[in-house]
C-alpha cells in the first residue's frame, strides 16, 4: 500500500489554492513554482480535479483555478479519489484473488485497514489542514 506522488501532489496543490485563492484565481504555473511540481503533471491532475468538481477554472488574463466549494466541504479522500488514486492495503486490490486465485488468510484484515484509512481521510477536510498550517505559520513567526 502506497500513496503515490499523484495523490500527494494533488493534495499539496489543493492546499496551495486554498491558502492563496483570496488573492484571485491561482495559475498552475504559480503552484508549480511554489511547490516544485511539474507544470505538465499539474495540468493532468487539474483536469481530473475539475472533472470531479473540486476546482473551477477561469480562462484568460487573471485566470486560474479556485476551489469549487468551501475548503471545509472538500475531504482529502475526495481529492485522492479524484486523481484515480486508490489507497488499498490488499495485495489483490479487493479482487479476492490474493493467493493463487483464492482469498488469502489475511484478506479481511487488509480490507478493514483500507476502509479505516479511507474513513480517516474522509474525516480530514482541506479546511482542517489550512487551520493547522496557519497555526504552524504563527508558531514560526512568533515562536
Amino acid at each position: 500500500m502506497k500513496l503515490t506522488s499523484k495523490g500527494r501532489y494533488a493534495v499539496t496543490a489543493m492546499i496551495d489554492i486554498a491558502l492563496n485563492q483570496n488573492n484571485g484565481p491561482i495559475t498552475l504555473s504559480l503552484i508549480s513554482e511554489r511547490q516544485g511540481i511539474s507544470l505538465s503533471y499539474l495540468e493532468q491532475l487539474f483536469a481530473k480535479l475539475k472533472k470531479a468538481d473540486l476546482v473551477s477554472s477561469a480562462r484568460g488574463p487573471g485566470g486560474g483555478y479556485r476551489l469549487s466549494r468551501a475548503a471545509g466541504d472538500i475531504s482529502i479522500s475526495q481529492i485522492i479519489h479524484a486523481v484515480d488514486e486508490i489507497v488499498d492495503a490488499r495485495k489483490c486490490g479487493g479482487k479476492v484473488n490474493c493467493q493463487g486465485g483464492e482469498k488469502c488468510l489475511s484478506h479481511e484484515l487488509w480490507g478493514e485497514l483500507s476502509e479505516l484509512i479511507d474513513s480517516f481521510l474522509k474525516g480530514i477536510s482541506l479546511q482542517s489542514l489550512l487551520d493547522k498550517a496557519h497555526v504552524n505559520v504563527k508558531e514560526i513567526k512568533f515562536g
Side-chain angles (χ1 to χ4, degrees), residues 11 14-15 18 67 71 74 76 79 124-130:
V11 171
M14 290 290 283
I15 293 169
L67 300 180
I74 298 174
I76 302 308
I79 297 168
I124 300 172
S125 72
L126 203 48
Q127 184 62 52
S128 68
L129 294 179
L130 293 179

Side-chain angles (χ1 to χ4, degrees), residues 35 39 47 107:
Q35 303 305 326
L39 182 58
H107 182 86

Side-chain angles (χ1 to χ4, degrees), residues 2-134:
K2 182 179 175 185
L3 184 62
T4 68
S5 58
K6 189 178 359 177
R8 294 177 197 276
Y9 288 165
V11 171
T12 298
M14 290 290 283
I15 293 169
D16 188 293
I17 288 178
L19 282 170
N20 296 294
Q21 71 178 355
N22 289 338
N23 300 324
I26 307 301
T27 65
L28 295 183
S29 60
L30 277 175
I31 297 170
S32 174
E33 183 180 310
R34 285 192 290 243
Q35 303 305 326
I37 304 170
S38 156
L39 182 58
S40 61
Y41 201 66
L42 284 171
E43 289 168 348
Q44 294 171 33
L45 293 176
F46 273 78
K48 293 177 181 190
L49 292 168
K50 186 174 178 182
K51 185 177 179 183
D53 195 32
L54 296 178
V55 295
S56 59
S57 64
R59 292 181 170 235
Y65 288 89
R66 292 181 175 272
L67 300 180
S68 63
R69 53 185 175 262
D73 295 334
I74 298 174
S75 75
I76 302 308
S77 176
Q78 289 172 313
I79 297 168
I80 290 170
H81 288 287
V83 295
D84 303 323
E85 188 80 301
I86 298 170
V87 180
D88 193 340
R90 295 172 293 197
K91 179 178 165 183
C92 67
K95 295 178 184 167
V96 194
N97 61 355
C98 334
Q99 187 171 6
E102 299 294 321
K103 181 167 73 169
C104 70
L105 296 175
S106 58
H107 182 86
E108 299 304 322
L109 169 69
W110 304 125
E112 289 176 23
L113 176 60
S114 299
E115 290 172 18
L116 281 171
I117 292 169
D118 193 50
S119 177
F120 173 76
L121 295 173
K122 282 179 182 173
I124 300 172
S125 72
L126 203 48
Q127 184 62 52
S128 68
L129 294 179
L130 293 179
D131 294 343
K132 286 180 185 178
H134 287 301

